[in-house]
Amino acid sequence: MILAIMFSSIRTWKSMTWPLAISFFCVMAAVLAVIIGAARLKRPAAAPHEGPYDFGFVAVSYPNFAAGISAANAIFASSTGCPGTIPVIAEMKRPQDFTKVTVTVACIVTVLYMCLSMSMYSYTGKWVASPSLGSAGPLVKKIAYGLALPSLVVSAGLFNHVTAKYIFVRVFRKSVHLQSNSVTHWSSWFGLNIGVGVIAFIFAEAVPVFNYLLALLACLCFAPMSIMMPALFWMADNKQYRTGTKKEKWSYYAHVGILLLGIFMCVGGLYGSGVSIAAGARDGFSPVFSCADNSNTIISKQGY
């Protein structure tokens, strides 16, 4: 948490360029190490060591609503970094290129997520750990987390930075303290970063299962910010489309549909997360604010 707050306190994106680039290569190396390690195992590390077992690889699954919406939200959380891209436009030399850059990054991220996640799933099936870096046994897990550590710090700091900057700019948007090096500026900036970091730490410790935490964050934060708010902004800017031409009406009501989708993901996801967390608590997952391992990683005696 301390390292993430230190990184998030960097004021400009320009100063984050090299740490962000390093974190990308680190997490890619870590994920590839896990996929290669899982591919070399005789059976998934978390599966029974002897006898027949259910691999659990299915193209179409039929979970109950709570499990399905929680899984959908967990996947949804991985591709909803839209709010994090908005502050970047303030530092671009050519703001006109913002849309091109955003679409390009979104395409690259989607392809990487699809390829890497399906590769991991094809080798581990339902025995994938959460987080997935522990899916190839304890040795590869240590290697993967060692490689991914810079990325974990930088990514946590990145979200911390974006949240603090949104609040900071909103509060000081009409004040001289927004860009000055005054005591008020620096104390507020550091205070916001520390405060947001502490809140994030409490959330992470209060929901001890990673998948449930992702689903909860997706329905409470990402659904409103990445689906509902953009649709509302567009509808507010183009309210005349509601009574315009046929094409304009289609565009307007398509955004109404997007808004309804966001509401469904938010409300349904909150219900699903609550049910999943309650079920996990009954099954005896590790208590809150505990250092117990609940990643579904076990000591494997299988050879490579």
Side-chain angles (χ1 to χ4, degrees):
M1 182 185 74
I2 295 174
L3 291 174
I5 291 174
M6 290 174 61
F7 176 76
S8 73
S9 297
I10 299 174
R11 287 195 301 177
T12 62
W13 291 95
K14 180 180 179 180
S15 302
M16 295 182 177
T17 303
W18 282 108
L20 288 171
I22 293 172
S23 71
F24 170 78
F25 289 110
C26 286
V27 73
M28 287 297 296
V31 173
L32 289 174
V34 176
I35 293 175
I36 294 171
R40 291 174 59 84
L41 287 174
K42 297 177 182 178
R43 58 174 66 193
H49 295 165
E50 298 178 355
Y53 70 99
D54 179 18
F55 186 69
F57 184 96
V58 292
V60 179
S61 183
Y62 300 93
N64 58 42
F65 178 79
I69 194 67
S70 295
N73 270 299
I75 297 171
F76 170 62
S78 65
S79 56
T80 51
C82 305
T85 63
I86 296 175
V88 178
I89 195 172
E91 298 183 30
M92 293 183 66
K93 293 180 179 180
R94 280 181 48 82
Q96 299 89 337
D97 295 332
F98 176 75
T99 301
K100 291 188 294 184
V101 172
T102 303
V103 171
T104 302
V105 170
C107 292
I108 294 173
V109 168
T110 302
V111 171
L112 286 175
Y113 273 131
M114 289 294 294
C115 294
L116 296 176
S117 62
M118 289 305 300
S119 298
M120 183 78 72
Y121 184 51
S122 67
Y123 289 119
T124 58
K126 70 177 183 179
W127 305 98
V128 64
S130 178
S132 61
L133 293 182
S135 299
L139 176 60
V140 178
K141 177 181 179 179
K142 294 175 183 178
I143 296 172
Y145 274 103
L147 291 171
L149 184 59
S151 178
L152 297 175
V153 172
V154 170
S155 59
L158 183 63
F159 280 101
N160 206 71
H161 173 91
V162 171
T163 305
K165 182 166 283 186
Y166 269 122
I167 300 172
F168 185 83
V169 173
R170 181 67 180 173
V171 172
F172 293 106
R173 66 189 186 281
K174 296 181 180 180
S175 171
V176 295
H177 298 296
L178 179 63
Q179 294 182 322
S180 66
N181 288 318
S182 62
V183 174
T184 301
H185 172 100
W186 283 108
S187 59
S188 300
W189 175 243
F190 285 129
L192 283 170
N193 278 278
I194 294 171
V196 171
V198 170
I199 293 172
F201 174 79
I202 293 173
F203 265 99
E205 292 296 324
V207 184
V209 179
F210 186 66
N211 276 348
Y212 299 161
L213 177 62
L214 280 183
L216 185 63
L217 291 177
C219 67
L220 289 179
C221 302
F222 294 128
M225 289 293 291
S226 297
I227 300 181
M228 297 166 63
M229 296 305 292
L232 286 171
F233 291 156
W234 189 94
M235 291 163 64
D237 288 340
N238 300 278
K239 57 175 70 74
Q240 72 277 7
Y241 278 33
R242 185 179 179 181
T243 56
T245 65
K246 187 175 181 179
K247 182 179 179 180
E248 291 174 343
K249 288 181 180 179
W250 273 107
S251 298
Y252 185 88
Y253 286 107
H255 283 79
V256 173
I258 294 173
L259 175 62
L260 294 176
L261 173 63
I263 295 173
F264 172 77
M265 294 292 286
C266 182
V267 178
L270 185 59
Y271 167 78
S273 298
V275 172
S276 299
I277 292 171
R282 289 195 300 269
D283 293 340
F285 62 41
S286 62
V288 298
F289 294 95
S290 168
C291 294
D293 184 5
N294 55 20
S295 65
N296 194 34
T297 304
I298 63 173
I299 298 177
S300 175
K301 297 179 180 179
Q302 303 174 60
Y304 285 84

